[in-house]
Amino acid sequence: MLNSAGRPEFCPTMLRHLVSIFYSCHCTMKTFYAMLLIMFGTSLVIVFNSKFNDLTRNQTPDFQIQPMRYDRRTIPQMAAKQNRSYPRNGDQHARTCPKRPTTNVYKTYLKGDDKTTNNTNFSQLDFLETTSPKFTTFSIINEKNSYKLCELLVVKIESRDWKNNSKTYGGDFFRLKIFSEDQVYSAAGEDELIDFQNGTYLAFFTLRWSGKVKVQVKLIHPVEVLPQMRLTLTGRTGMNSTFVGIFVNKNISEEVFCRYVVLEPPFCNLSDPLTHGPWFCKKPTDSRLTCDDWKWHKKNKKGTFLKLEENLTPLSKELLTKSHMVNIPGNRHSIIVEEKYGEDFLEQEAVMTLPYCSMKGVPNGIHNTGHFFKDVWYPHECTVKHFTVETGMKCLANQNLVLLGDSTIRQVFEYFRDVYKKYLKELPLPEGAYSGYGPLRLQNEKSNTFIEFHFHGLPSSGSKLLLRTDYIEFIANRLNSGRDGCEVVYVLSVWAHFIAAGKEFYLQRLLAIKEAVKALLDRCPTTKVIIKGANTKDHPALWIAVISSEWNIAAHEADLRELFQDEKRVGFIDALEITKVQKYKDNVHPNRKIVGELVNRLLTYLCCSNL
């Protein structure tokens, strides 16, 4: 029964009636127990409906909250059935929260179909009709004085245009987080984000630590800029990315125009067909220079950047300058979370001990996979060991670690070089090599430790880098070469220089790498291959937002994860989720504290997976 407040209430009269019926009809004990079971089941239904009504009581009438598909008590019950003892640890509050289903938060954004946008023709829109970070707002719809650990926080976002009118279609690209920054930093992204495709969005957060918790909603891109983003995704924007090839023969040299698509004749075909490395340069006009005289590569900085910005539509320029990466206002920016668990959580159950992270393939889709607590990143599905320099060196003993990729994986090399400098010695740079591309090498002969970094091959979009062509090495070629033997760990990072080239180019390169990885692991089962994903980045100039927006980064990341889905022998380091909720400013080269978190995950794969 329900009391006057709508809460379930036990009624002793019901039990007395049940007993009297038992005696009057001379029922068997089996029948009596069945009647008791029916009464108990009915009570559970009443309790569930009451709990769900509590969550939805404050919702607005124009849409309905989708009921969450989880059982809050699943994990504690599992622990009880297995008769395990889990010591409570205050630094691991969040692991006591039941695992809830998380959605692929970028799925709707990346799809961006006509249903999402109600067939709106963005090319005919005025800027004032686009999503405004000034008038778009968020609100907490299950608002109350205080919350408890593991409860849900539900945030509603209402998109509005610059005339303060409600939007009638969805697709705006937001980044959300809850965080605390009193003395130490804790943060988490949303578990689920629902786009109702009418300008309204709902986000669900699990409250994983106590204290004052703030809510932040940032508009990354209004939906109206997506036509420009899709041009980048198709590779059409990247057609404006140009490079310079320097041809040298003795004292004769000439700079020519180069890019990764076929040029008008006459041209030099400098491609590597085995690794999908298409590369073409105009043939030097000096007859004394041949295609074999290609010696240096660099970015055509001025010409590329100007073309990228000149080709923007006026609407895209305005959207990328006024509505890009802006926090939106809310009705309440912080809440209080008490140092106790919600009433429907078994508080007496202790923290579950998760297994160490192991190499089980690449996750399917982009999800909320962890959180910061007291400045430390905790994955939700496994445990990462936090290494000191001394324990890290023990892990690196007898390891041959080869880092192949862009400058974000070079940061891992630099982390070992600087933080482990007491134990690791940097070897001299080979003649003619550039420190940004490598090969860079660290060594400790006593512990038999060797670490190397080498750039992933063309394209290279670094504006200040000059690369000698005999040091260009594609990842697939390195994996196929066999020169590192079988007792080796490869860590791959392939994303930052491929965004402008478009989806098709990127997928072809990834396919070549995947085939090389499969062949390598087939012939060398003891070899380890770990893939580091993309991270968020800054956009200090308009052209950078055009060729490497977070929307396009997420699209490429989704392609990488989908392509490697069936290869379960690799490990994966999720840098995107960490940098989305970090306390530092976005940067293509994340803060060293973030790099340290990536290194901990790497070393956990190497030394803790079998524990």
Side-chain angles (χ1 to χ4, degrees), residues 232-233 235 238 495-503 506 534 537 546-549 552-554 556-557:
T232 303
L233 198 61
W495 66 275
H497 295 260
F498 290 85
I499 307 299
K503 177 176 181 175
Y506 185 55
K537 64 174 296 182
V546 174
I547 64 171
S548 57
S549 73
N552 279 299
I553 289 174
H556 281 66
E557 178 82 351

Side-chain angles (χ1 to χ4, degrees), residues 122-123 125-127 130 224 313-320:
F122 294 147
S123 63
L125 284 180
D126 180 78
F127 175 73
T130 65
E224 291 82 8
T313 65
L315 178 60
S316 293
K317 282 186 179 180
E318 209 163 4
L319 290 170
L320 289 172

